[in-house]
């Protein structure tokens, strides 16, 4: 991990972020301490193979060529090769590292493993890896808003991602942490007061210069696509007195 940190700061930070996400998902799934430790370890090690990928490919600001993309696709196997002989790492960890880019419909890489053949660790690591990559700023793309990343994962259920894993992830990871400033579909600005029940896409918002709360029944986001789809008729005003 120290070699990875000195080689590429983003990949190191990404691995730590994915470890945190996997830990949260594992807790929500009631994993025991041993399982949690193995899952987080797999997350920390999953991109070690990028040590062998040239920096000009990792941080290329433009689209990768077919040859460069093929080279990038080698990193899961390289990661596995780096840890396969470590007796202190379980088979669960090694398999998750090797297959963390496999899709549940068998279209992933390196082996095209179908969902029913994937371990739970593999499915969790895949979803967490993609989510953090989407919300991160990279030389070749701007970061997705959390709600956009959530929409991508939901749209990929049964194709790219395991549905249960995505549902647990979106239930347990706050997409709009308390204190986050947001813009509503009608242009008003507010701050997240709290998340509503278990559905993190529908937080309770306090508007600036207002004395009431808003409970959203549709996702909110700064994305133009969400502004077009949301309208004021979907907003429910919650006044301090409790009257509508």
């Amino acid at each position: 991990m120290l070699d990875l940190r000195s080689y590429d700061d983003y990949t190191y930070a990404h691995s730590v972020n994915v470890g945190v996400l996997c830990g949260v998902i594992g807790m929500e799934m009631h994993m025991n301490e041993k399982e949690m430790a193995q899952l987080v370890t797999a997350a920390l090690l999953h991109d070690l193979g990028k040590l062998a990928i040239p920096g000009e490919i990792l941080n290329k600001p433009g689209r990768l060529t077919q040859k460069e993309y093929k080279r990038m696709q080698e990193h899961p196997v390289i990661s596995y090769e780096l840890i396969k002989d470590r007796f202190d790492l379980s088979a669960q960890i090694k398999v998750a590292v090797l297959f963390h880019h496999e899709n549940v419909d068998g279209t992933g890489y390196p082996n095209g493993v179908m969902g029913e053949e994937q371990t739970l660790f593999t499915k969790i690591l895949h979803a967490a890896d993609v989510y953090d990559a989407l919300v991160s700023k990279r030389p070749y793309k701007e970061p997705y808003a959390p709600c956009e990343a959530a929409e991508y994962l939901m749209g990929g259920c049964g194709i790219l991602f395991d549905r249960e894993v995505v549902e647990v992830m979106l239930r347990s990871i706050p997409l709009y942490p308390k204190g986050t400033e947001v813009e509503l579909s009608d242009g008003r600005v507010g701050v997240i007061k709290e998340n509503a029940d278990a559905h993190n896409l529908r937080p309770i918002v306090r508007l600036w210069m207002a004395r009431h709360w808003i409970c959203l029944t549709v996702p909110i986001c700064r994305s133009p696509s969400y502004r077009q789809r949301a309208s004021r008729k979907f907003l429910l005003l919650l006044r301090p007195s409790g009257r509508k």
Side-chain angles (χ1 to χ4, degrees):
M1 287 298 292
L2 290 177
D3 289 341
L4 186 60
R5 184 176 188 178
S6 62
Y7 185 70
D8 186 68
D9 280 340
Y10 165 76
T11 303
Y12 176 83
H14 167 69
S15 299
V16 173
N17 291 342
V18 174
V20 172
L21 293 172
C22 285
V24 172
I25 296 169
M27 288 180 63
E28 185 69 17
M29 289 186 162
H30 306 293
M31 290 184 177
N32 61 42
E33 185 176 344
K34 181 179 179 181
E35 291 170 329
M36 288 276 293
Q38 291 181 345
L39 176 59
V40 172
T41 299
L44 292 174
L45 301 177
H46 78 283
D47 272 348
L48 278 182
K50 288 185 177 178
L51 285 166
I53 307 299
E56 57 267 25
I57 294 179
L58 287 177
N59 298 302
K60 184 177 179 179
R63 187 181 183 88
L64 296 179
T65 65
Q66 185 174 4
K67 182 178 180 180
E68 290 169 335
Y69 184 62
K70 287 289 186 184
R71 178 65 172 147
M72 181 68 83
Q73 287 182 313
E74 296 173 2
H75 81 268
V77 175
I78 299 173
S79 297
Y80 173 77
E81 291 291 331
L82 290 171
I83 65 173
K84 69 176 183 179
D85 295 325
R86 290 286 299 267
F87 68 90
D88 55 335
L89 298 177
S90 70
Q92 278 266 58
I93 293 173
K94 296 170 184 177
V95 168
V97 167
L98 177 60
F99 294 141
H100 73 272
H101 276 291
E102 296 287 2
N103 300 325
V104 296
D105 67 351
T107 60
Y109 62 88
N111 290 2
V113 178
M114 296 290 293
E116 59 268 21
E117 299 172 338
Q118 296 176 16
T119 66
L120 179 59
F121 280 16
T122 298
K123 296 173 182 177
I124 294 173
L125 181 52
H126 181 37
D129 178 41
V130 171
Y131 178 83
D132 187 70
L134 289 174
V135 299
S136 299
K137 181 178 175 62
R138 301 293 289 129
Y140 50 84
K141 76 170 186 69
E142 291 299 313
Y144 279 44
C147 60
E148 292 174 318
E151 187 178 55
Y152 180 87
L153 263 65
M154 289 187 292
C157 285
I159 303 171
L160 306 178
F161 311 108
D162 179 80
R163 184 176 303 277
E164 180 185 1
V165 168
V166 171
E167 289 176 352
V168 171
M169 182 176 179
L170 297 184
R171 186 170 68 241
S172 57
I173 296 173
L175 302 176
Y176 298 98
K178 290 182 181 181
T180 302
E181 185 176 296
V182 292
E183 181 179 342
L184 304 188
S185 59
D186 59 4
R188 291 179 295 173
V189 176
V191 62
I192 300 299
K193 177 179 179 285
E194 61 182 279
N195 290 291
D197 300 320
H199 208 311
N200 286 323
L201 283 170
R202 292 157 174 80
I204 296 175
V205 178
R206 183 173 188 175
L207 297 178
W208 295 126
M209 305 301 291
R211 298 183 62 186
H212 55 258
W213 309 111
I214 284 184
C215 180
L216 300 181
T217 58
V218 293
I220 61 173
C221 179
R222 292 181 181 275
S223 165
S225 62
Y226 273 81
R227 292 177 188 166
Q228 293 166 3
R229 291 165 52 187
S231 66
R232 294 183 64 182
K233 67 181 180 180
F234 293 114
L235 302 183
L236 174 65
L237 298 185
L238 302 181
R239 304 183 188 279
S241 65
R243 294 178 298 173
K244 294 182 181 180

